[in-house]
Every structure is written in structure tokens, then in C-alpha cells.
Amino acid sequence: MVAPGIRPAAVLIAALIALIAIGSPAAAEPTPGGPVTVTVRPGQKLEPGEYDTTVRSGGKDIDVTIVVPPEAGPAEGQTAGTPTAPAGGGPAEEAGADEAGNAAGMSQILLIGLVLLLVAVGGAMLYLRVLAPRRYLRPYLRALAHIEAKRYDLALPALTRLEATLPEQARAEARFFIAFAMYRLDDRQAAEHRLAELHREDPANVEVAYLLAQLRADRRDFDGAEAVLDRLDPAVRDAPGNVRKLYGVVTAERAFAAFRDGRVDAAAELFEKVERLDDFAEHVPVDLRNRNILVGTKALFERDVPAARQQFESLLRAAGRIDGTQRGPLLASAELGLGLSAWLAKGNDSPADSEWHLVAALALLDPAGALTAQWPPESADPGLTARIEEMMIRANRPAEEIEGDRTLRDIHFLRGMAVLRAWAESDPRYARSAAGDFIGQALQRFARARELDPEFSDVYVVVGLLRYYLAESEHDRRAGVAVLREAQKLGTRDPEVLQILNHDERVRRANRDAAATYLQILDRYVQDSTVREQVREALLARMSRYGKVRDWDTRPGLIGKRVSTPTVAEMHARSELLMARINDLVQHQGGTADLSGARQLSVSIEQRSREIAEYARAIEDQEAELLALLGDKLLSEVET
């Protein structure tokens, strides 16, 4: 019985070997005592005469004499050169008869071998083609039926049992279905291992290559997936269908990865392949379709300004020669690239060149858009509810519109930074005299960027720092801090901004503590019955305008009637106590309030209080002197 995996060719080879063995009789040994034949080599000739020699026959050495007679002339009636037949059955006739008999026997043997060969081949083909497949076909078909019914848990063990018993072609197919069942049962590592073996054996198998590439793509091994698909026939791989779609996905992922890594040339080649495959050409970013943009962007990353400018100038010339919807975006990309190149260049004309190209890009991208705007005042805050509603409205816009506004926002922001750079690089005397103009122009450009994206924190950071450091008053500085707080709400984590805000919080806390201490001093003062009622009423009425600090309706009740008029000593003591409390408040106040006027007034009160005390002592001395003088005059008269 022939094993299931043996091919018909093996049977043919075995039959041929047997046939050769049958049709190749062994050479016969010479019979002892029989005639001895000595053969002369072809081309050699012996001269007439006798030759003595020794030959070995039957294991013995025999002395032989060879007689070569002289050539006889032609017989009478016979021409020269015509052979004469030997008379009476000579050795030649006997040799011919033997040869004819051997040839007939050999033909019969060959014929019998050929018949046996045909019978063996036919039997082998009958077994391999009919009997063996019937033995394994039914369980194999049942296993495939489980695959078709998506019962992979039943198909996998059945195919595994049958794998070793199937013919070679069916075995390869079964191995693929085993890997497919493992894939469906989420045993992906084992499935990939089996598919990799099948792929090494037959790299041109489309089903194996597709499933193996899909497995590798699922775990984001796009390089490995591409290596599998690249070995397929391009005519099959690039034809419309699932294989081409998978190849397009793998190539696009590798292109985006190359671009993120800064390998712009590789990204350009891969994106060109994606466009050629056509299934995912619409996902290729417009700005990446042109090699000039890619190479120019790479040069910008590397700060190679001449190379970047060369690429974008070439793009500008090429875009000017084309028509269609791509012309405007390509021109805008070229102008934007030239603006960025000018920004990176070193020179006094760099900010002006950057502004010129950026404005040209805006004219292409947003022809009806304004170039400047006014920064809103602090009182224009619409409130939290209105701001949340505006954010939701902006977030629900189409993705293309959102991305377009962000691009315009970045351009306007860069224009504002170009103004600040021009101010920093200008002559110091001119910079001081024109500081207001530079800051105003920059704020207008930053305000336009804020209009396009109110949640862009970088705008608030720059404007807040400008207002904080260039403030001419405490009010302007507080306005700068307020803008920086907006940047913090939008997510900025700039260390300098956080340091300013932390310092401001400490100052605000100190101000609140100082205000609380002041209110305690005020309460004690208005409850002092030695202070005139009119003074207390006027003081409280003046302070009541600070309604956010305190509810003035709950102020201490005033004493309506004075009990006693204070003496000078009482007034002096009250003044000294008030000045001690106020001086302590002024010295320990860590806020931003300017208390220089309070210090001056405290000094004046202390001085006048001392003067009043001195006047009172002087009056008392004069009163005593007056009484003494009157006593001297009057009492002396009485005694006399």
C-alpha cells in the first residue's frame, strides 16, 4: 500500500529501477575447456606469421600460438574486394544465430517490464486519486463546514487531527485553515507563527500573505506587514480589492510615522505610493502631496533657511503655473513657508519680510478676513455661561472650518510676535519713543488671533506679560494679572506666569488681612464716645461706598449723645492709641496699596497731638502762674 503522501512520480521511479534490473543480464564467464577467443583492438593489424602468447581462461594460464596466414588473391571468377562466404556453417553463422536469439529474448523482457510498469503506475494513480482522498475527504469536509459556520472551536481540533494524514496539497490548505481558526479564536500569536511558516514555504500565496499582514498590522507592526505584502506579485497586490486596501493602510501608517520622525524624504515617497494605490488617497494631507513642502518643512525644522527658502520659492513658481482647486492652497503654503523662513532668518529686515509673506498667505486663505482687531476691555467679559455656550458652538463646526481658523490664528499670532521682534531689534532711543506704537500694533494682531480662537492660551500669556511688565500704574498691572489668570484657566503651565500669579495671590491675601485689621480699627473709632457724632457719621458715609467689602448696614450703632467733653489729655491718649494701631497696620501690610499718604497724615497727627499736649502744659503752667500771681497780689493785701 502506498502511503498517502507519496507522489505518482515516486512510483514511476521505482518501476523504472525494477525494469532496469530485469533487462540488464550479468556478463557470462567463459566455460572452462571451451574455445578461447582473442580480440584485436579496433584499428590494429597483425602481419602474417605466428605469434606465441599466454592468455588466462577459467582461472588458468594457457599458452596460445596465433597464426596469421598471408592474404590470398581473389578466386577465379571473383573480383578483388568481394568477400567470399565461408563454406558450410562456420563460426560467423553460429555467432549471428546466437545474437538473433539474444535480441528476441531482450525484447520480450522489455515488453513484460513495460506492461508491469503501466500496471504499477495505474494502480498508484488509482489509489492516490480515488481511494486515498475518499478515506480523508469526508472528515476534512466536515471540518471545513465548521469553518464556514464560524464554529472555529470545533473546526480547530478536527483540522489538527487530520493535518498529518492529509496529502501534501490538502495538508497545506488545512494548515492555513488551522491558522485562520486560531486567529478567529484570538490566539493570534500561534496563528501568526503558523502563517509565518506557510509564508516562508510559499511567499506567493495571497491568502496566507493577506492574513499574516493583517495580524501584524493589528499589532501595529507595519514594517513587518509591508515586508509580507511586498513579496506578492505586484499585478495581484495592486489590483482592486482587500489586498490593495490593506497595502494602502500599511503604507499610509508608515508614511505618517516617517513624517512624525522628521524623515520627510521617506514620508514623501510613501505618500506617493498611497496616492498610486488610490484607496486612501483622500487621507493624504494636502500640504504633504508636494515634495517641495515636505523638504522645505524639514529644512525649517533643521533651521536651514537657504534650503527652506529655495524649496518654497520653487513651489511658488510651480503653483503659479497650475490651475484648479489646488492652486490657492499651494500658493498659500508657499507664502507661509517663505514667511517662516524670513522669521528664522537673521537680519533687520526679517520681521518686515515675514509680515509681508504672512499677509500674502492670509489674502489667499481668508480674503475677506480683517488683519487686526481691538483687545476687549476687562468689563467685556460675557460670563462663564455665555463663554461655555460659545465654546460649544465653535466645537460643533465642521472639522475643516476649525482647522482653517486655527491656521489663520497661528498666522496672526506670528504677525504679532514679528512686531515685538522688530521693536526689540530697533534702535534703543527709537524703541523708547515708539514703544506705544509697537505695543498697540502687536495687541491688534493678538486680538485678531483671539477672535479666531478664544481658547488659545498663548495669546493670553503674551498679552498678559506685556501688560504686567510694561504697566505704568497699579491698575494696569492688575489688568495684566487678570489676563494671565485667563491663560491659566485655559491650561497654560508657563513657569513665569505661575510665579506671577502666585505672588499676586500672596499680595491679595495680604490686602484682605490688612482690610480686616482696618475694619477693626474703624469699629473701635466710631464707638469712641469722645469723637464727635458728626465726624463718625461722615466717616461711615464715606466708607459705605465699598459695599463689596462689608455690609455697612450692620455697622456698630452710634452713641447719639455725648456724655462728657474730652480733656486734652484724653484727646492725646486717644490719638496716641490710634496712631499705634495704624502704624502697626502700615508696617506689616504686604499688599499693593499705596499707603504713603496715610504715613504722612499719621506723622502730621502725631505732631499736632504733641503740640496740643505742649499747649495744654503751657496753659496749665500759665494757669498756675496766673493763680500764683493773683494770689501774691490778693493774699498779700489781706495779710497786711
Side-chain angles (χ1 to χ4, degrees):
M1 181 178 293
V2 181
I6 298 178
R7 293 183 176 180
V11 179
L12 288 174
I13 293 172
L16 288 175
I17 293 173
L19 179 62
I20 293 172
I22 295 173
S24 299
E29 290 287 338
T31 305
V36 177
T37 303
V38 179
T39 305
V40 180
R41 295 180 180 178
Q44 291 186 353
K45 182 178 181 181
L46 296 177
E47 296 295 331
E50 294 181 358
Y51 299 89
D52 295 329
T53 183
T54 301
V55 297
R56 190 172 183 82
S57 176
K60 299 180 179 180
D61 294 332
I62 302 174
D63 295 331
V64 178
T65 300
I66 300 174
V67 179
V68 180
E71 294 181 0
E76 194 175 10
Q78 186 178 16
T79 59
T82 303
T84 303
E93 290 181 356
E94 294 177 1
D98 292 340
E99 290 178 0
N102 292 336
M106 183 63 69
S107 299
Q108 292 177 357
I109 293 173
L110 290 176
L111 181 60
I112 294 171
L114 180 60
V115 172
L116 292 176
L117 174 63
L118 293 176
V119 172
V121 171
M125 295 296 292
L126 176 65
Y127 178 80
L128 295 176
R129 295 289 181 88
V130 179
L131 300 179
R134 286 181 179 178
R135 179 181 177 185
Y136 304 107
L137 182 60
R138 291 181 180 178
Y140 182 56
L141 291 179
R142 286 197 297 269
L144 295 185
H146 290 317
I147 292 286
E148 187 175 0
K150 299 181 180 181
R151 295 299 307 273
Y152 307 109
D153 55 335
L154 299 178
L156 181 58
L159 290 172
T160 305
R161 286 193 304 270
L162 291 172
E163 177 186 356
T165 61
L166 292 173
E168 184 175 353
Q169 183 177 1
R171 187 185 307 125
E173 183 181 83
R175 290 167 62 195
F176 171 77
F177 284 119
I178 289 172
F180 180 74
M182 290 177 174
Y183 170 72
R184 288 299 187 183
L185 293 173
D186 208 24
D187 189 1
R188 303 201 168 195
Q189 185 174 1
E192 184 175 351
H193 177 71
R194 281 184 169 265
L195 290 170
E197 289 182 351
L198 290 172
H199 181 68
R200 284 193 297 269
E201 296 171 4
D202 186 9
N205 190 306
V206 178
E207 289 79 9
V208 171
Y210 177 81
L211 187 55
L212 179 58
Q214 181 66 55
L215 274 169
R216 292 180 176 178
D218 288 344
R219 60 181 179 86
R220 305 196 65 79
D221 180 14
F222 299 110
D223 292 339
E226 186 185 43
V228 172
L229 296 174
D230 278 339
R231 300 185 67 180
L232 292 176
D233 183 3
V236 177
R237 182 193 61 207
D238 298 342
N242 292 332
V243 177
R244 191 178 77 174
K245 289 182 180 180
L246 179 59
Y247 194 45
V249 170
V250 170
T251 307
E253 290 288 350
R254 294 190 65 243
F256 282 113
F259 184 74
R260 287 192 298 269
D261 295 340
R263 296 180 288 110
V264 182
D265 292 339
E269 295 178 0
L270 291 170
F271 277 123
E272 289 178 1
K273 186 186 292 186
V274 172
E275 288 186 323
R276 188 170 61 253
L277 294 172
D278 189 55
D279 290 298
F280 301 97
E282 68 276 7
H283 295 281
V284 178
V286 176
D287 291 342
L288 298 178
R289 293 175 184 256
N290 191 285
R291 183 178 293 272
N292 295 118
I293 297 177
L294 294 174
V295 177
T297 303
K298 180 181 179 182
L300 289 176
F301 287 149
E302 297 174 351
R303 295 184 175 272
D304 188 353
V305 176
R309 184 179 286 117
Q310 178 182 1
Q311 294 295 328
F312 289 117
E313 287 177 349
S314 176
L315 176 62
L316 189 66
R317 292 190 297 269
R321 294 191 298 267
I322 65 175
D323 296 325
T325 58
Q326 294 295 326
R327 184 175 187 275
L330 290 177
L331 287 173
S333 298
E335 294 288 357
L336 181 58
L338 292 173
L340 294 173
S341 300
W343 172 262
L344 294 176
K346 297 179 180 179
N348 295 332
D349 297 334
S350 175
D353 292 343
S354 181
E355 168 73 7
W356 192 88
H357 288 293
L358 293 176
V359 171
L362 289 172
L364 293 166
L365 297 175
D366 188 22
L371 295 177
T372 59
Q374 295 297 323
W375 191 270
E378 289 75 14
S379 60
D381 189 355
L384 179 61
T385 302
R387 292 180 62 177
I388 292 176
E389 292 178 354
E390 292 178 0
M391 290 174 60
M392 293 179 63
I393 293 174
R394 287 191 298 270
N396 291 330
R397 295 178 301 165
E400 296 80 5
E401 184 178 348
I402 295 175
E403 189 65 27
D405 284 350
R406 288 178 178 174
T407 301
L408 298 175
R409 172 205 71 186
D410 293 339
I411 295 176
H412 286 293
F413 180 76
L414 187 58
R415 291 177 61 227
M417 296 300 294
V419 173
L420 296 180
R421 179 177 176 181
W423 180 35
E425 295 177 353
S426 60
D427 181 78
R429 290 178 295 179
Y430 175 72
R432 285 192 296 270
S433 62
D437 294 337
F438 280 111
I439 295 175
Q441 294 177 17
L443 288 178
Q444 289 177 352
R445 288 159 173 76
F446 291 138
R448 180 65 181 130
R450 178 190 174 278
E451 283 184 349
L452 292 165
D453 187 3
E455 284 77 42
F456 185 43
S457 62
D458 290 359
V459 174
Y460 294 91
V461 170
V462 176
V463 174
L465 292 176
L466 283 174
R467 288 191 170 184
Y468 182 82
Y469 286 117
L470 302 178
E472 297 181 355
S473 63
E474 185 61 27
H475 178 269
D476 294 339
R477 191 181 302 275
R478 299 296 307 166
V481 172
V483 177
L484 292 177
R485 289 197 181 280
E486 289 294 324
Q488 185 185 32
K489 293 177 183 178
L490 294 173
T492 186
R493 293 296 180 267
D494 184 80
E496 187 173 2
V497 173
L498 297 180
Q499 182 179 0
I500 292 174
L501 295 179
N502 291 335
H503 174 71
D504 178 73
E505 184 60 30
R506 290 193 297 270
V507 170
R508 292 165 66 91
R509 191 182 304 112
N511 287 338
R512 289 193 297 268
D513 294 342
T517 303
Y518 165 76
L519 291 176
Q520 294 176 4
I521 296 172
L522 180 64
D523 289 343
R524 291 192 184 97
Y525 185 79
V526 297
Q527 293 183 50
D528 193 337
S529 60
T530 62
V531 180
R532 287 181 297 165
E533 186 175 354
Q534 293 83 355
V535 173
R536 289 179 283 169
E537 288 283 359
L539 178 60
L540 291 176
R542 183 177 177 181
M543 294 295 101
S544 63
R545 68 171 180 251
Y546 300 104
K548 293 183 180 180
V549 179
R550 177 179 178 179
D551 185 4
W552 295 94
D553 292 336
T554 60
R555 63 184 183 273
L558 300 179
I559 300 175
K561 184 177 180 180
R562 182 176 299 166
V563 177
S564 61
T565 301
T567 62
V568 173
E570 291 174 340
M571 292 181 60
H572 180 64
R574 184 187 69 194
S575 179
E576 285 184 343
L577 180 60
L578 179 62
M579 290 306 101
R581 292 172 177 171
I582 291 177
N583 289 334
D584 183 69
L585 172 63
V586 172
Q587 291 177 1
H588 295 87
Q589 196 268 344
T592 57
D594 185 7
L595 302 180
S596 58
R599 293 189 183 92
Q600 294 176 1
L601 187 57
S602 297
V603 172
S604 176
I605 292 175
E606 290 178 356
Q607 182 178 358
R608 291 189 178 184
S609 178
R610 285 194 299 269
E611 290 176 354
I612 291 174
E614 292 174 358
Y615 286 149
R617 286 192 294 270
I619 291 175
E620 289 175 347
D621 292 340
Q622 290 179 1
E623 289 176 345
E625 184 64 27
L626 175 60
L627 291 175
L629 179 60
L630 291 176
D632 290 340
K633 296 295 185 183
L634 296 177
L635 295 177
S636 62
E637 293 292 335
V638 173
E639 290 182 355
T640 60

